[in-house]
């Protein structure tokens, strides 16, 4: 029994490593050949796994290219803390902190981020898939805001705040691509603070 926890953790790390490699290889192939220029068999070969194993991780090339860093449900620990009213109990301050924390947990170098941006601009199917995922994130964030603030909080205001936060994320990513000497999280904090100052 004593070895089960470490073995479980090791299996989880292996799965996460394989998922990252699938994502990396899928983006590289899509960048070089376009989304229609490779097959799932090509991807499995590039990753070094069987086709069956590949489909255990991702159902399609689009999901392989986008990976798990563009979630349909933001259930990371920082988001859970936010949903429960933390970390400070002040709504705007907590959105600021949770956004930076999520970016710190999902750090990428600027070349990876730029490659994904390039892929989204080159293929409308990828752009639509990301849009659909982000719409779900906005919906969940708005629902979490109402949940933590109580039923008296206006749902429309929650949606506005969720959409503004998403815009801040987008600008932060663009700033990070332009200047990777500063982390994406720090860019996010700068953009967020500037927006707060401008809106008073």
């Amino acid at each position: 029994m004593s070895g089960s926890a470490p073995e479980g953790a090791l299996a989880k790390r292996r799965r996460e490593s394989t998922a990252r490699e699938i994502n990396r290889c899928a983006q590289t192939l899509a960048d070089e050949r376009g989304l229609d220029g490779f097959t799932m068999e090509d991807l499995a070969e590039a990753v070094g796994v069987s086709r069956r194993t590949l489909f255990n991780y991702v159902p399609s090339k689009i999901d392989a290219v986008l990976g798990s860093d563009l979630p349909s449900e933001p259930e990371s620990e920082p988001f859970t803390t936010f949903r429960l009213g933390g970390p400070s109990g002040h709504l705007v301050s907590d959105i600021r902190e949770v956004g930076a924390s999520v970016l710190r947990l999902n750090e990428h170098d600027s070349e990876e981020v730029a490659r994904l941006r390039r892929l989204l601009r080159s293929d409308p199917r990828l752009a639509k898939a990301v849009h659909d995922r982000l719409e779900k994130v906005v919906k969940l964030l708005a629902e979490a805001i109402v949940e933590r603030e109580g039923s008296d909080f206006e749902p429309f205001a929650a949606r506005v705040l969720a959409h503004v936060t998403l815009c801040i994320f987008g600008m932060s990513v663009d700033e990070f691509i332009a200047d990777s000497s500063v982390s994406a999280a720090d860019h996010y904090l700068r953009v967020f603070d500037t927006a707060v100052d401008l809106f008073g």
Side-chain angles (χ1 to χ4, degrees):
M1 293 291 291
S2 62
S4 61
E7 288 173 8
L10 181 60
K12 181 182 178 183
R13 285 197 297 272
R14 278 199 299 261
R15 183 168 179 84
E16 289 172 348
S17 177
T18 300
R20 284 194 300 270
E21 184 63 7
I22 290 170
N23 182 224
R24 186 190 69 79
C25 289
Q27 288 191 4
T28 299
L29 288 169
D31 201 27
E32 293 173 349
R33 309 181 191 177
L35 194 61
D36 294 324
F38 69 99
T39 64
M40 291 294 273
E41 287 79 5
D42 294 330
L43 178 56
E45 183 178 347
V47 177
V49 298
S50 69
R51 188 174 184 273
R52 180 176 180 180
T53 297
L54 179 64
F55 277 103
N56 284 335
Y57 282 85
V58 289
S60 70
K61 287 189 286 185
I62 287 177
D63 290 290
V65 169
L66 297 183
S68 60
D69 289 333
L70 291 165
S72 58
E73 294 190 25
E75 291 299 341
S76 62
E77 190 281 327
F79 187 78
T80 300
T81 298
F82 173 80
R83 186 188 289 274
L84 294 174
S88 73
H90 182 271
L91 177 58
V92 174
S93 296
D94 289 347
I95 286 181
R96 178 184 187 274
E97 182 55 37
V98 75
S101 296
V102 168
L103 285 170
R104 291 186 192 107
L105 287 173
N106 296 284
E107 289 187 355
H108 296 279
D109 64 48
S110 59
E111 289 184 12
E112 290 177 310
V113 176
R115 180 178 60 198
L116 179 57
R117 281 285 204 203
R118 190 163 60 243
L119 288 169
L120 298 183
R121 289 173 179 148
S122 69
D123 196 301
R125 292 167 294 180
L126 291 171
K128 182 182 184 307
V130 168
H131 179 269
D132 291 345
R133 288 190 185 193
L134 293 178
E135 282 293 310
K136 291 178 182 178
V137 172
V138 167
K139 181 175 182 290
L140 288 166
L141 178 55
E143 289 172 351
I145 291 169
V146 173
E147 178 183 333
R148 69 168 259 158
E149 296 299 307
S151 58
D152 289 341
F153 196 90
E154 174 61 48
F156 177 73
R159 293 199 305 274
V160 170
L161 188 51
H163 276 283
V164 168
T165 303
L166 185 62
C167 290
I168 290 172
F169 259 94
M171 184 172 179
S172 303
V173 169
D174 288 336
E175 291 294 306
F176 178 61
I177 293 171
D179 178 14
S180 60
S181 66
V182 178
S183 72
D186 285 339
H187 279 299
Y188 171 84
L189 293 174
R190 177 171 172 254
V191 175
F192 194 102
D193 290 345
T194 301
V196 169
D197 289 343
L198 287 171
F199 283 104

